[in-house]
Amino acid sequence: MTQLRKAVETTGATAGDTSLSSTSSSPSSEASSLHQVPALILKPFINFKALANPEIADIMAANIKYRNLPDSVSVAAVNALHKTVMEKTQQLDKARAERNRVAAEMKVLFSSDNKKKKKKKEEKDKSTQQRPVASGDGNNETVPEAAVTEMTREVKEIRRQELVERGRVLKDEIHLQEAELTMLETQLYDQAILIPNITHPTTPIGTESAAQLIRVHGIPRLNQGVKAHAYPGFEHPETGGEEGRTLLGNVSDYPLLDHVTLAKQLDLFDFESATAVTGSRWYYLKNEAALLELALVQFATQRAVQAGFMPVITPDVVRPEVVQACGFQPRDEASQTYWVSTVAPGSNKATIPGAQHAALCLVATAEIALAGMNLNKVLDETQLPIKMAGFGRAFRAEAGSRGAEVKGLYRVHQFSKVELFALTNANPGESDRMLEELRQFQENIFDELGLCYRVLDMSTEELGASAYKKYDIEAWMPGRNNWGEISSASNCTDYQSRRLNIRYRTNRILNGSALVSSSLAEPQPLPCDNSSISNKEHTSAPSSNSYTTTEFVHTLNGTAMAIPRIIVALLETFQQQDGSVRLPECLWSFMGGVKEIRPKDITK
């Protein structure tokens, strides 16, 4: 576990030593009329020295294997590329140093000539002076000093020509080496960003079926004929104790309908019109369903504010670089990302240089916008932890989904969502504690709604690139006769902050040969190459054993309310025999007095 902690702190899932910068493109005047978004260049702080450490490299390689990632994700490939980049960088540095020496010598030569020209001008009208020289026969003869000066100029001209030629050769060599190095650095970072975060030592290894059941809350309602072994997490409930037998006993006296059938009777959704207007898996919510979405958003937001979260309304459109920095791959062929552009499809303006920067992304989760809210910021440690609850729309292409997964509201392209986001200091124990706080908040919400749910500690193959540890919460949905994910919570440690350059100032003290953060309960191992991080801040008082430095924050996220999935769970869980749906009491005050949804005569 110590080694895993060390790997997290020294690599942060490829932790860093490279600077991050933001630059604007220089488009043509024609392209500027497209209202383009300037390119944002983000470089993650990647600690290549740590990755080259054989012990850490082995841990990272095993982590990649446990996550079942493709062979293209490789620590060895990153190390090989980094070695090549370092060699090419040294070659380029030598060429640049020689170019500087050539330029310096040229400057001296021209400076000398200028001084002599000035002196010659002052003596222009004077007679040529002569000096005695010893001859072989003992007679004194004179040689014009101008002749000596002329000979010196000839030598200098020869040297100048040599320097000019060498400078020209060096210029070409440096140009080629810079182009090659830029290409190699791009390949290096493209390869390095594929390496996922390290994994928590308690995370189960394997596929989704290896996920560990933490707890089940409530008793699922069962349709007639549904067998108890259909419940994930209870392999043999008929022999599994009192909790398993209780689950077997809650069988409905009437058929429990799925949410699509219920919504048709209650006149809550309109999929047909949405399909005509936008396409499949888009929808209209109407009548009580529209009120229910607004009620759920207000309910979750109010509870979050009461728990100390700052409410935020987030932008739904962000730069693709921010999406990637959060651990998503918007340019991947299998990406679930929707793109937004000011250039119309098929427009000849699409070929204008710089026009590609007009492209933005619709966010798949408010987590992305909340993470980007502190882009390039240095916080004070006293500000931490920061807890936010952001409301926004989520957009997902959901390519490859099929069957029951795409029926009704369960898997759609757009939905409203209240997202929890937190920043803590770099103490792993602090971010672990915050993850449990997020999970407890989520459970409190679902308890109050009266849902039956289970909590899973997700296995390695179910973790996203940024996740160090992840919980899923799944509600029992009687109409689906199965569990359905309604929420998740993840600790991303410093994976996102190293890519977004989010830091905080902290005091560190010298304790023998070790450096200890004043905010930590115990000494923490330092990154292998703190000194190479170009914008790390250090300030210390004279005769003091402490100094101020910056560290990357840890980021965490969790879903407070994914509206469509909760609507599915509520409709199917609280349906009554007469076709009505009783709403949880906690929502009544947000529903304008509506306590239940009753069938409508939609033929009128």
Side-chain angles (χ1 to χ4, degrees):
M1 181 172 178
T2 301
Q3 283 303 317
L4 287 173
R5 292 292 195 197
K6 184 177 180 181
V8 171
E9 292 159 4
T10 57
T11 66
T14 65
D17 66 338
T18 310
S19 64
L20 179 153
S21 61
S22 175
T23 60
S24 297
S25 60
S26 300
S28 66
S29 58
E30 185 176 6
S32 63
S33 66
L34 300 177
H35 307 289
Q36 67 186 47
V37 177
L40 177 68
I41 300 175
L42 300 179
K43 277 190 176 182
F45 288 77
I46 298 177
N47 193 331
F48 293 106
K49 285 186 178 180
L51 287 179
N53 182 308
E55 192 172 2
I56 292 177
D58 288 345
I59 292 174
M60 300 298 287
N63 180 52
I64 291 170
K65 179 181 178 181
Y66 294 151
R67 294 189 182 218
N68 196 28
L69 296 176
D71 293 340
S72 57
V73 183
S74 170
V75 175
V78 171
N79 286 334
L81 272 171
H82 181 251
K83 182 179 179 181
T84 301
V85 167
M86 289 298 97
E87 291 172 351
K88 295 297 182 181
T89 300
Q90 290 175 359
Q91 293 177 12
L92 179 59
D93 288 344
K94 288 180 180 178
R96 286 171 172 168
E98 185 178 354
R99 179 190 61 185
N100 292 340
R101 286 195 298 271
V102 168
E105 188 174 347
M106 289 280 287
K107 184 177 179 180
V108 171
L109 285 175
F110 282 113
S111 176
S112 176
D113 285 347
N114 289 335
K115 288 180 180 178
K116 290 183 178 180
K117 285 180 181 179
K118 183 178 179 181
K119 184 176 181 181
K120 183 178 180 181
K121 184 177 181 181
E122 293 174 352
E123 300 175 350
K124 184 175 180 180
D125 298 329
K126 293 183 178 181
S127 300
T128 302
Q129 298 179 358
Q130 297 179 335
R131 63 182 181 182
V133 294
S135 63
D137 58 4
N139 296 323
N140 291 334
E141 296 182 359
T142 60
V143 177
E145 188 172 343
V148 176
T149 304
E150 188 63 31
M151 290 174 60
T152 304
R153 286 178 180 174
E154 289 177 357
V155 172
K156 287 183 178 180
E157 180 61 23
I158 293 173
R159 181 58 180 160
R160 187 186 72 82
Q161 290 294 338
E162 291 175 349
L163 293 174
V164 169
E165 177 61 18
R166 183 56 184 159
R168 184 190 64 77
V169 171
L170 285 172
K171 180 180 178 181
D172 292 341
E173 289 181 356
I174 290 172
H175 179 74
L176 292 174
Q177 289 180 27
E178 287 176 338
E180 183 182 14
L181 184 59
T182 298
M183 180 187 68
L184 287 170
E185 286 180 337
T186 300
Q187 293 175 1
L188 174 61
Y189 281 97
D190 286 347
Q191 185 71 40
I193 62 174
L194 297 178
I195 298 178
N197 202 343
I198 200 70
T199 303
H200 193 282
T202 64
T203 295
I205 297 174
T207 62
E208 183 179 5
S209 61
Q212 181 182 357
L213 178 67
I214 302 299
R215 68 182 292 251
V216 173
H217 172 82
I219 301 172
R221 298 183 68 183
L222 307 178
N223 264 311
Q224 292 282 351
V226 175
K227 296 182 179 180
H229 61 69
Y231 309 128
F234 292 93
E235 295 180 0
H236 305 288
E238 61 275 22
T239 60
E242 184 60 33
E243 186 178 34
R245 289 194 291 273
T246 302
L247 289 171
L248 282 171
N250 193 4
V251 179
S252 176
D253 295 331
Y254 52 90
L256 299 176
L257 307 177
D258 64 70
H259 74 284
V260 177
T261 304
L262 284 166
K264 188 173 183 179
Q265 296 175 357
L266 300 171
D267 194 24
L268 299 178
F269 311 151
D270 187 346
F271 293 107
E272 291 77 12
S273 296
T275 299
V277 170
T278 311
S280 62
R281 283 190 273 170
W282 301 83
Y283 58 94
Y284 287 95
L285 295 182
K286 56 183 183 177
N287 297 318
E288 292 91 344
L291 295 177
L292 184 55
E293 168 161 323
L294 298 175
L296 289 168
V297 169
Q298 293 208 53
F299 166 68
T301 302
Q302 184 187 85
R303 295 298 186 268
V305 171
Q306 291 172 352
F309 290 83
M310 177 180 70
V312 181
I313 303 296
T314 64
D316 296 332
V317 179
V318 299
R319 303 170 189 257
E321 294 84 1
V322 177
V323 176
Q324 186 169 20
C326 289
F328 303 89
Q329 299 295 327
R331 293 181 175 84
D332 191 277
E333 291 182 0
S335 171
Q336 302 296 308
T337 304
Y338 281 109
W339 288 78
V340 178
S341 175
T342 57
V343 180
S347 170
N348 55 10
K349 292 183 179 181
T351 60
I352 298 173
Q356 67 272 18
H357 297 316
L360 294 166
C361 293
L362 291 172
V363 296
T365 168
E367 167 199 342
I368 297 169
L370 291 171
M373 195 172 177
N374 288 290
L375 172 69
N376 281 337
K377 290 185 180 179
V378 179
L379 308 169
D380 192 87
E381 189 169 15
T382 57
Q383 296 175 260
L384 302 175
I386 295 175
K387 302 192 299 183
M388 296 179 283
F391 169 75
R393 299 275 187 168
F395 298 86
R396 302 180 184 181
E398 298 290 4
S401 303
R402 59 180 64 86
E405 290 289 299
V406 301
K407 186 176 182 181
L409 289 181
Y410 190 79
R411 193 174 295 279
V412 289
H413 294 308
Q414 172 190 325
F415 59 93
S416 299
K417 187 182 182 188
V418 179
E419 182 78 4
L420 307 174
F421 194 85
L423 299 90
T424 73
N425 64 36
N427 182 359
E430 180 65 16
S431 57
D432 285 345
R433 185 201 64 76
M434 180 58 70
L435 180 62
E436 298 305 316
E437 180 180 332
L438 294 182
R439 193 192 89 183
Q440 188 58 59
F441 176 84
Q442 293 167 321
E443 291 193 43
N444 292 343
I445 287 281
F446 304 137
D447 284 350
E448 201 169 352
L449 288 173
L451 297 177
C452 172
Y453 63 85
R454 66 174 184 171
V455 182
L456 300 174
D457 185 356
M458 298 309 293
S459 52
T460 51
E461 293 189 25
E462 292 298 304
L463 301 181
S466 62
Y468 171 59
K469 185 178 181 66
K470 176 188 174 188
Y471 291 118
D472 273 3
I473 299 180
E474 299 179 346
W476 177 257
M477 300 177 179
R480 300 178 77 241
N481 293 318
N482 207 342
W483 303 91
E485 181 186 344
I486 58 172
S487 184
S488 66
S490 299
N491 182 358
C492 298
T493 62
D494 59 359
Y495 182 96
Q496 294 175 333
S497 63
R498 286 183 177 274
R499 287 153 175 76
L500 294 168
N501 193 28
I502 308 173
R503 299 170 177 266
Y504 69 97
R505 293 185 184 89
T506 183
N507 290 325
R508 296 177 73 89
I509 61 175
L510 290 168
N511 181 14
S513 60
L515 291 173
V516 185
S517 172
S518 61
S519 65
L520 305 184
E522 58 182 6
Q524 300 295 315
L526 290 176
C528 294
D529 55 348
N530 278 346
S531 60
S532 65
I533 300 180
S534 59
N535 65 343
K536 180 176 279 292
E537 301 175 6
H538 295 279
T539 58
S540 61
S543 302
S544 172
N545 66 340
S546 68
Y547 68 90
T548 299
T549 185
T550 60
E551 296 182 2
F552 294 102
V553 301
H554 283 193
T555 63
L556 303 94
N557 63 83
T559 304
M561 192 70 65
I563 303 301
R565 295 280 179 93
I566 297 298
I567 290 178
V568 172
L570 292 176
L571 293 180
E572 295 187 3
T573 297
F574 297 115
Q575 60 182 293
Q576 307 299 306
Q577 190 168 6
D578 62 359
S580 65
V581 173
R582 175 178 53 83
L583 295 176
E585 186 175 350
C586 62
L587 298 179
W588 292 355
S589 62
F590 303 107
M591 288 290 296
V594 177
K595 298 181 180 180
E596 66 176 358
I597 306 173
R598 303 197 62 80
K600 303 170 180 63
D601 185 358
I602 59 177
T603 61
K604 292 183 180 180

